Amino acid sequence: MFDYLIVGAGFAGSVLAERLASESGKRVLIVDKRNHIGGNAFDHYDDQGILVHKYGPHIFHTNSADVFDYLSRFTAWRNYQHRVLGSVDGQLFPIPINLTTINLMYGLNLNSTEAEQFFLSKAEEVKDVRTSEDVVVSKIGRELYEKFFRGYTKKQWDMDPSELNASVAARVPVRTNKDDRYFTDTYQAMPLHGYTRMFEKMLNHPNIKIMLNTDYHEIVNDISFRQMIFTGPVDEYFDYRYGKLPYRSIEFKFETYDQEKFQETGTINYPNDYAFTRITEFKYLTGQRNAKTSVVYEFPKAQGDPYYPIPKPDNMELYRKYQLLAEQTADVWFAGRLGTYKYYNMDQVVAQALSLFKKISAPAPHRGTYA
Ligand code: FAD
Ligand code: UDP
């Protein structure tokens, strides 16, 4: 008899399993259909002994001391500040667009105040900023939008930025200073021995039983449990009753090169050329030393594992119908990027799981989804 059946051993499922077992003394069965824990953050050593991320580059960053302190119980960290360059018109430029980007691109020598004026002179007036096109052209104008955002977004989502919610492109800011870090969060670090080691520590508890290579459908009727936490796709849980929620997938192509270094920085984006969006070289992220180097190319696709919820108005409307259903479903809690159809980073999933744990542990009975 288990207190909880948790479906999915990614961040959402593993944090909840850890909290329920360690803090509340609950007996937990965590099941994943994959052959490993860690969900999309899973990492492993490839044939050359280089630590790679099986589901694309995962860089940890957060402004939340609570989230960072919580995860620090299970790992030491390696400080790492991610830097990205964009290949545009055959040249490499800092991304997010910053002072250096425009000085380099236009042969200028502007300072920060002048850069602000420069962007203002290029910006288009948009009364109601709703889409990813709006959010970019209203800040930096159409030319830079075309060079850096339109093609990348089309490849990544197979959609024009004008069809996507503003929140997607708003993930990438524009700067008038020379700060060339991809993120500016207070905490930016990689788990010193990798994500998988961190998950192993998190789940190493006598009250937690892990079952891999198992779709929960295979066992759900044979196991007795009081409540379920579901972190897979919410539409799948309800047998697609209202139709499928669209997700975007990616094909990852890994290469190892017989050279110490492949590219100038951790990630290079290719907004306008090639079928892939970006190349990431793992040794920058992990700090590992090796005579060879491994990289991953990301080819966005419609079919395949569901990686990205697609934030656009009709999808959000469809999700709300599932959310309502989830709220009415007794003894099942929905969490995570797929369970709540939210384009969440790892730290946001951890924060969501920690507050769901509080809600579950609260004395008054609550039911359903966590939004
Ligand atoms: P998942 O990790 O997807 O876990 C869900 C688990 O449920 C999966 O393991 C799945 O196998 C399992 N499951 C589903 N259905 C079933 C079933 N029927 N039975 C059993 N098991 C099932 N975030 C960052 O903060 N920084 C980054 O740099 C970053 N880079 C990313 C790059 C890519 C390419 C992608 C796709 C995501 C990236 N993310 C990044 C986001 C990050 O991956 C997620 O926020 C986080 O991993 C989500 O955790 P989760 O537990 O919600 O979901
Ligand atoms: N984006 C872009 N050009 C870039 C980088 C990002 O147009 O060089 C847009 C694109 O729509 C992308 C979104 O901004 O999907 C979010 O980028 P982010 O790097 O956060 O994507 P993720 O790492 O989640 O794939």
Side-chain angles (χ1 to χ4, degrees):
M1 174 73 181
F2 292 96
D3 296 305
Y4 286 88
L5 169 63
I6 299 186
V7 180
F11 267 103
S14 298
V15 168
L16 279 154
E18 188 283 328
R19 290 288 69 207
L20 287 163
S22 304
E23 189 75 21
S24 306
K26 302 291 184 195
R27 283 152 304 161
V28 176
L29 173 64
I30 184 164
V31 49
D32 204 297
K33 61 183 178 187
R34 290 172 171 164
N35 62 1
H36 58 74
I37 57 172
N40 288 341
F42 172 75
D43 54 15
H44 68 105
Y45 288 89
D46 67 12
D47 292 344
Q48 297 300 327
I50 298 169
L51 186 61
V52 298
H53 299 175
K54 183 169 181 184
Y55 304 97
H58 278 68
I59 297 119
F60 186 81
H61 56 103
T62 189
N63 282 317
S64 164
D66 284 350
V67 167
F68 192 71
D69 289 348
Y70 171 72
L71 291 178
S72 302
R73 297 181 196 178
F74 314 105
T75 187
W77 300 93
R78 160 180 196 261
N79 284 330
Y80 173 68
Q81 309 225 322
H82 194 50
R83 286 182 169 77
V84 176
L85 293 169
S87 169
V88 172
D89 301 337
Q91 225 185 315
L92 294 177
F93 298 95
I95 291 184
I97 291 174
N98 66 11
L99 182 58
T100 315
T101 312
I102 50 167
N103 279 339
L104 206 60
M105 173 151 278
Y106 296 104
L108 299 168
N109 192 18
L110 306 180
N111 60 32
S112 287
T113 318
E114 291 162 341
E116 216 166 292
Q117 287 307 314
F118 177 89
F119 286 134
L120 277 175
S121 74
K122 300 275 180 195
E124 287 181 15
E125 196 189 344
V126 182
K127 288 221 158 56
D128 181 17
V129 175
R130 283 179 303 110
T131 72
S132 278
E133 177 182 301
D134 296 342
V135 82
V136 179
V137 300
S138 66
K139 273 194 274 188
I140 57 172
R142 204 151 285 271
E143 188 178 333
L144 288 165
Y145 161 75
E146 296 281 349
K147 285 184 188 293
F148 287 93
F149 285 89
R150 195 173 184 191
Y152 188 106
T153 302
K154 175 80 184 135
K155 263 196 274 187
Q156 173 73 10
W157 304 94
D158 193 24
M159 242 175 251
D160 193 76
S162 59
E163 296 174 79
L164 282 165
N165 287 2
S167 59
V168 176
R171 289 168 60 90
V172 184
V174 173
R175 303 196 184 118
T176 51
N177 58 21
K178 289 187 176 170
D179 190 346
D180 64 349
R181 297 169 304 159
Y182 204 61
F183 309 109
T184 50
D185 301 46
T186 314
Y187 306 95
Q188 303 187 45
M190 301 290 289
L192 190 59
H193 304 293
Y195 288 97
T196 304
R197 287 285 167 280
M198 180 180 77
F199 280 98
E200 281 168 1
K201 273 201 145 176
M202 211 182 266
L203 295 175
N204 181 17
H205 190 283
N207 283 6
I208 301 176
K209 184 172 160 50
I210 305 170
M211 205 181 228
L212 297 175
N213 299 302
T214 311
D215 190 307
Y216 85 102
H217 292 102
E218 296 166 28
I219 52 121
V220 70
N221 295 322
D222 305 325
I223 278 173
S224 92
F225 57 92
R226 289 183 215 281
Q227 300 212 329
M228 183 194 286
I229 293 170
F230 188 79
T231 75
V234 59
D235 54 333
E236 183 198 303
Y237 181 86
F238 292 110
D239 295 325
Y240 311 106
R241 191 175 306 178
Y242 302 127
K244 284 198 167 186
L245 275 170
Y247 297 91
R248 195 76 177 140
S249 193
I250 296 189
E251 190 180 316
F252 301 104
K253 191 169 158 254
F254 291 84
E255 294 285 354
T256 299
Y257 297 109
D258 198 0
Q259 59 202 64
E260 209 165 337
K261 186 171 114 174
F262 176 74
Q263 62 187 25
E264 283 311 299
T265 190
T267 296
I268 298 189
N269 288 358
Y270 292 87
N272 309 312
D273 312 306
Y274 310 111
F276 52 83
T277 48
R278 58 187 178 189
I279 304 175
T280 298
E281 185 168 2
F282 289 102
K283 279 162 60 182
Y284 282 96
L285 279 54
T286 58
Q288 198 180 349
R289 296 169 82 147
N290 194 301
K292 297 188 181 183
T293 193
S294 293
V295 305
V296 64
Y297 295 70
E298 294 178 55
F299 295 82
K301 287 194 317 176
Q303 302 307 322
D305 276 4
Y307 293 136
Y308 289 83
I310 305 176
K312 67 195 273 279
D314 42 348
N315 297 350
M316 302 328 287
E317 218 164 280
L318 180 56
Y319 168 62
R320 269 191 282 280
K321 290 170 81 175
Y322 280 111
Q323 188 182 14
L324 218 68
L325 208 53
E327 278 162 7
Q328 291 158 3
T329 306
D331 298 325
V332 185
W333 304 86
F334 293 82
R337 180 146 145 155
L338 305 172
T340 58
Y341 201 67
K342 296 215 164 48
Y343 186 178
Y344 271 168
N345 294 326
M346 296 179 279
D347 65 318
Q348 295 171 299
V349 172
V350 173
Q352 187 199 45
L354 291 175
S355 23
L356 177 56
F357 168 68
K358 280 196 189 136
K359 189 169 167 179
I360 290 178
S361 317
H366 291 279
R367 290 281 180 269
T369 190
Y370 179 76

